[in-house]
Amino acid sequence: MLRTLIRILGFFSLASGFLAGVVDGTRSIGSAVLEWSSLGNAIAWLSPKTFTLLEESVPRLIHPLVWNPVLTGLFQLPAIMTLFALGLLLLWLARPKFASISPRS
């Protein structure tokens, strides 16, 4: 059950990364300059309240160093790269377990 949920989230992340690539490609073709949307801009565009809630609560509840160097650095990465990496990681974690095949004597 949990493996299925992780696989669904992995495929959703890969699909979101593909859509981010299409949006970035369309924007780059329109402006004739290579443009990448960052993960932070994508999150702020999709849900501004969530982003401001993260910005306020992470330094206060966890630690200020988690927000400033770690999460701000992550949010500056291109959305396509981050979503693809997350999707591949989730799919790798939920991969089916195969029985080991040993040669018969």
Side-chain angles (χ1 to χ4, degrees), residues 70-89:
V70 177
L71 287 179
T72 54
L74 180 70
F75 288 152
Q76 291 175 355
L77 293 174
I80 183 173
M81 182 182 75
T82 311
L83 291 170
F84 274 144
L86 177 65
L88 290 175
L89 176 70

Side-chain angles (χ1 to χ4, degrees), residues 1-12 90-91 93-96:
M1 174 77 176
L2 183 63
R3 184 177 292 162
T4 304
L5 180 65
I6 292 173
R7 289 187 81 195
I8 289 171
L9 289 174
F11 283 123
F12 181 73
L90 289 174
L91 289 176
L93 289 174
R95 70 189 183 279

